[in-house]
Amino acid sequence: MNTPHPGRLGHDPDGVPDGGAVHGGVPDGEVPDARRRRAILIAVCVALMAVIASVSGLNVAQPDLAVAFDASQSTILWIINIYTLGLAALLLPFGALGDRLGRRPVLITGLVVFGAASAAAGLAPSAEVMLAARLLGGVGAAMIMPITLAVITSTFPPAERGRAIGAWTAVAGGGGILGMFLSAALVDVANWRWLFVLPVVLVAAALVMTVRSVPDSRETTGHAFDTVGALTSVVAVGGLVFALQEGPERGWTDPSTLLASATGAVAAVGFVIGELRRRDAALLDIRLFRDRGLAGGSVTLLAVFGVQAGVFVVLFPFLQAVLGWSGLLSTLALMPMAVLMMAASGLAPRVGARVGPRATMATGVLLAGAGLALMASVVSVDGGYLAVLPGMLAMGLGMGLSMTPSTEAVTEALPRDRQGVASALNDVTREFGTALGIALLGAILSAGYRDAVDPRLDGVPTHTADTAREGVANAVDAAQRGGPYAGELARAARESFVEGWQNAMWAGVAVMAVLFLYIAVRGPRPSARGRTGVARAVDARTP
């Protein structure tokens, strides 16, 4: 059995505190009082918001970055993607280090690194400096993100842990949209450099609250740190995420894409084999995936975040190129879905306590799939925003209901001394699902658009037709230059995009249908979450 580190806040496997000294202002053996728990939750959610907002914030400033640095589209995409690549690749090692070295010091270090990187990015004089700053920001984010959830699972008593995870999940799910909206507003009223003021302010606030409120916790085991597992996990996740990011841009048969895919796949196989051999000493004990909660929660997060990210990819060009809205207005249009998603994430623990996690997850997935089907059925050029809004709301509600119990299932499946790893696994699954969803649904949309637009370009000059085939935004831009084909070209491009959109939405429906069946058959069983922490403690100590 793993023994909590002397003088640190610890809990037994059922979440009941055990004794010790005083650290971080909270005596070991005592759960922080309600006021302190609120401060802890606010601190970690603010830190998480800084990380999530930085994932999507630069998307709204791509043209401004290209002009400021005289950079190609490929370079701009690297500036955006290198942050996510560094974040995803380092999550598991830093989550494990947080368990061993102390979650509070790793969180503080991550906040300092992330804040410094954000400030450097905002002041960057060149694309090279920006790339370095963004990569460093990803390193800091990889320290922050898994620790925020591990702090919750190691600090909150079982009776309140579900609600705290619901709040964390709400920020993780809806924070990206909120970040995009604030970023778009800053770009409109100021310039792209102000995008980095938001994460710096959030990090400063989180740092002050962490120092004042967040207790330290760490675990000790009888095993050395799994360095080989950590390195192979970095190569595996980094290679696969790189391939998913670059595949749509470079082409899936491009040598760099193929090399990254092969390297990531080989490293992933090596990681699994090595972890199975190390067993209890592994960075991530692969045998734990036999647990229905861990497997079901991970698969659900992978699919849900993948579909969510893919839908955003197709929603933005619909709102901007088809409806002609600005970036700020397009981001604002996503807010109802984000707000409902965040509200449902907070409500999910109460629903789960009544009907069980499997029923809650299945209901959420069913609602999300219904929302996608509704959007695919009614979307049209003339229908506008109101035609897709009901589907967006259903999707937001469903995804919010499914995210929280899935996250709980993952964290509950791993032991007390591996909560940093559990949190990191949860985050890696989200990041990998996001990259996979963007690549998959984005590719389906592009292929559907090209297939639909080709027959509509008969009689259009070759140069103009080639431009239109590149995408709906290119076609609309070409049409705005005038000419005898302007009106027909713009209409053809918009209608073709809607057909590609429908293909992508139906693909999302298929993913949700398969996920629903999986959860119905192999979803997590009901847990003791509905009982109080005291009752669970009595049960744990009853012979």
Side-chain angles (χ1 to χ4, degrees), residues 60-425:
V60 302
Q62 291 188 45
D64 304 83
L65 290 170
V67 172
F69 296 132
D70 191 23
S72 66
Q73 180 63 21
S74 176
T75 301
I76 298 305
L77 288 176
W78 262 109
I79 288 174
I80 293 171
N81 291 337
I82 198 170
Y83 171 83
T84 307
L85 184 63
L87 166 62
L90 294 171
L91 281 167
L92 277 175
F94 280 138
L97 285 173
D99 288 335
R100 288 172 174 263
L101 302 179
R103 294 169 184 126
R104 185 170 181 260
V106 172
L107 178 57
I108 290 173
T109 303
L111 288 168
V112 172
V113 171
F114 184 82
S118 298
L123 300 172
S126 66
E128 291 76 15
V129 174
M130 174 65 88
L131 283 166
R134 289 285 287 173
L135 178 59
L136 184 62
V139 173
M143 296 181 191
I144 296 169
M145 197 170 183
I147 301 303
T148 55
L149 183 56
V151 165
I152 290 174
T153 56
S154 64
T155 302
F156 279 74
E160 297 183 17
R161 198 174 298 152
R163 289 193 295 274
I165 291 176
W168 185 95
T169 305
V171 174
I177 301 176
L178 293 174
M180 280 192 292
F181 173 71
L182 293 174
S183 298
L186 286 170
V187 170
D188 272 13
V189 302
N191 62 60
W192 67 268
R193 294 190 183 275
W194 282 87
L195 294 178
F196 296 97
V197 173
L198 175 63
V200 169
V201 170
L202 290 174
V203 162
L207 187 58
V208 171
M209 289 186 285
T210 297
V211 171
R212 293 181 59 183
S213 303
V214 175
D216 195 10
S217 59
R218 69 176 69 177
E219 314 300 331
T220 57
T221 70
H223 308 290
F225 182 72
D226 184 8
T227 304
V228 174
L231 292 175
T232 52
S233 75
V234 170
V235 176
V237 175
L240 294 174
V241 171
F242 176 90
L244 290 171
Q245 288 178 342
E246 294 297 306
E249 180 69 17
R250 297 172 181 261
W252 296 105
T253 57
D254 182 83
S256 61
T257 305
L258 292 175
L259 179 61
S261 300
T263 302
V266 170
V269 172
F271 176 76
V272 171
I273 293 174
E275 299 304 274
L276 286 172
R277 287 177 177 173
R278 289 184 64 87
R279 301 174 70 84
D280 292 338
L283 181 76
L284 174 62
D285 190 347
I286 303 298
R287 297 171 300 169
L288 291 172
F289 279 95
R290 298 171 186 167
D291 183 275
R292 292 171 63 148
L294 181 61
S298 298
V299 170
T300 300
L301 290 173
L302 179 76
V304 166
F305 271 82
V307 170
Q308 180 198 54
V311 167
F312 289 165
V313 166
V314 302
L315 268 175
F316 265 102
F318 173 76
L319 296 170
Q320 292 180 297
V322 176
L323 301 186
W325 290 6
S326 67
L328 180 60
L329 187 58
S330 298
T331 309
L332 183 62
L334 298 178
M335 292 297 287
M337 181 169 65
V339 170
L340 196 56
M341 185 189 306
M342 296 175 77
S345 295
L347 181 65
R350 296 181 183 178
V351 177
R354 290 180 176 272
V355 303
R358 178 163 53 181
T360 306
M361 291 164 62
T363 301
V365 169
L366 189 63
L367 281 171
L372 291 167
L374 184 59
M375 284 194 286
S377 301
V378 303
V379 65
S380 67
V381 174
D382 299 321
Y385 176 65
L386 292 179
V388 299
L389 180 60
M392 290 170 57
L393 295 177
M395 181 181 149
L397 177 61
M399 290 192 166
L401 283 177
S402 62
M403 288 175 183
T404 300
S406 301
T407 300
E408 282 190 90
V410 172
T411 57
E412 286 183 351
L414 270 74
R416 169 71 173 82
D417 67 308
R418 299 292 178 91
Q419 280 306 295
V421 175
S423 305
L425 176 63

Side-chain angles (χ1 to χ4, degrees), residues 457-482:
L457 296 176
D458 291 340
V460 176
T462 303
H463 176 71
T464 304
D466 289 342
T467 300
R469 290 187 184 96
E470 293 177 4
V472 62
N474 305 78
V476 172
D477 181 65
Q480 289 174 346
R481 298 175 194 153

